[in-house]
Amino acid sequence: MAAQVIDGRQLAAELRAEVGREVAALRARGRVPGLTVVLVGDDPASHIYTRNKQKVAEELGFRSERIDLPATTSREELLELIHRLNADPEVHGILVQLPLPPHLDEAEVIEQIDPRKDVDGFHPVNVGRLWSGQPCLAPCTPAGILYMLRRVGVDPAGKRAVVVGRSNIVGKPMAALLLRANATVTICHSRTQDLPAVCREADILVVAVGRPEMVTAEYVKPGAVVIDVGINPVPGTKNKLVGDVHFPSVREVAGYITPVPGGVGPLTIAQLMKNTLEAAKAFWGLAN
Ligand code: GUN
């Protein structure tokens, strides 16, 4: 039997609606959560991503601000801006869109963001809190995936989870969240030997490698939950995208599968709104 296809657009709409209701309740009490997105340079993909983030923030009632800086912005100028945003009581979430132009040190910039406003969950303080099981802001894509699993009724506890990809944005925090949810977690990467065999152990398989349709049916245990984080443009087409999972073959084997587009992607922005809401509530001393 073919897999159940997880509708990320629908789940994201529900998460946004949930966040929007809380924002409205806060606004009714005179409190407006605020998100500031900083974009340095003119990477076209980053422009689209930041515009989408801002649009959703506005729709849900956040105070939403975008600061566009030229690609020539100096380290000092960017750090000064971050320090100003750290000190601004109307700003509860700060997101510096990556990648930064090559003359700027991403790790240094992220470390200057107040961890309480780090809605990306990239600051070393949040990374440490994530791995040590403390309350934290967790990276949006993996946190959105956990929300998705919960909503389709998949509890990671006791299950074998395999994460393919070890990026700081997805792979590593995904592994941490699955571990926190009591899965038995394996992280795979480009040097993993016999990747298909390791993946076939997975009850939950999360793929975030950026290689179009790499994961085929031979990687998948029958009935497994397959989460595809890849977004790969198809060469020679205008806007067509494929994931890291070969959808047509894997859907015949898996129990659940996320499509591309319309799977994980929409959850990421919804989760960013959730993180911003949580950051604002913590700022005001309201229980989460
Ligand atoms: N660039 C690609 N993904 C992300 C993300 O999740 N956050 C930020 N800040 N930049 C990105």
Side-chain angles (χ1 to χ4, degrees):
M1 207 175 72
Q4 182 177 329
V5 178
I6 299 175
D7 186 346
R9 290 193 181 106
Q10 175 64 31
L11 292 177
E14 289 171 24
L15 179 53
R16 287 196 305 271
E18 217 177 273
V19 171
R21 280 193 294 274
E22 274 205 65
V23 172
L26 288 166
R27 289 183 76 111
R29 292 153 60 189
R31 292 183 146 149
V32 185
L35 172 66
T36 297
V37 175
V38 179
L39 177 60
V40 187
D42 35 39
D43 179 63
S46 291
H47 263 272
I48 297 170
Y49 295 149
T50 50
R51 198 169 341 112
N52 288 341
K53 289 169 186 175
Q54 232 206 323
K55 189 169 138 259
V56 175
E58 271 163 27
E59 280 166 11
L60 299 189
F62 289 88
R63 198 183 68 81
S64 164
E65 171 188 39
R66 183 170 118 179
I67 300 178
D68 282 312
L69 298 174
T72 52
T73 300
S74 70
R75 167 183 178 274
E76 289 69 25
E77 285 166 330
L78 181 55
L79 296 187
E80 193 185 298
L81 169 65
I82 288 173
H83 296 151
R84 178 167 74 67
L85 296 172
N86 283 344
D88 186 339
E90 292 194 353
V91 176
H92 306 101
I94 302 170
L95 183 145
V96 178
Q97 185 68 21
L98 304 177
L100 289 172
H103 67 282
L104 295 166
D105 177 347
E106 289 182 355
E108 181 189 38
V109 170
I110 289 166
E111 280 203 42
Q112 294 299 314
I113 298 172
D114 183 333
R116 292 168 299 183
K117 299 190 177 189
D118 166 39
V119 284
D120 262 328
F122 294 165
H123 192 288
V125 164
N126 281 316
V127 178
R129 285 189 182 145
L130 175 64
W131 283 98
S132 54
Q134 294 169 262
C136 63
L137 289 163
C140 301
T141 299
I145 291 170
L146 234 73
Y147 173 83
M148 190 181 244
L149 292 175
R150 208 168 43 244
R151 288 297 314 276
V152 298
V154 173
D155 179 2
K159 297 212 168 65
R160 292 290 305 267
V162 174
V163 180
V164 189
R166 55 173 154 179
S167 70
N168 291 328
I169 296 185
V170 183
K172 281 186 263 186
M174 185 76 256
L177 284 170
L178 287 163
L179 181 62
R180 276 175 79 138
N182 300 310
T184 302
V185 183
T186 303
I187 306 177
C188 300
H189 46 78
S190 52
R191 304 285 282 272
T192 297
Q193 291 186 8
D194 202 353
L195 182 63
V198 181
C199 291
R200 274 197 304 273
E201 300 267 309
D203 304 304
I204 300 170
L205 178 62
V206 182
V207 191
V209 287
R211 295 178 55 159
E213 301 182 315
M214 185 193 76
V215 168
T216 54
E218 67 153 336
Y219 288 64
V220 177
K221 173 157 93 179
V225 181
V226 180
I227 307 290
D228 187 353
V229 187
I231 303 178
N232 307 294
V234 179
T237 68
K238 199 149 170 270
N239 291 316
K240 193 167 154 50
L241 298 173
V242 291
D244 294 345
V245 173
H246 185 254
F247 187 86
S249 68
V250 172
R251 78 174 296 182
E252 299 303 322
V253 184
Y256 292 90
I257 186 169
T258 61
V260 176
V264 172
L267 260 307
T268 297
I269 293 187
Q271 183 66 44
L272 172 66
M273 301 304 131
K274 173 87 176 163
N275 281 5
T276 305
L277 171 65
E278 295 305 326
K281 283 163 67 181
F283 178 84
W284 292 314
L286 303 171
N288 285 325

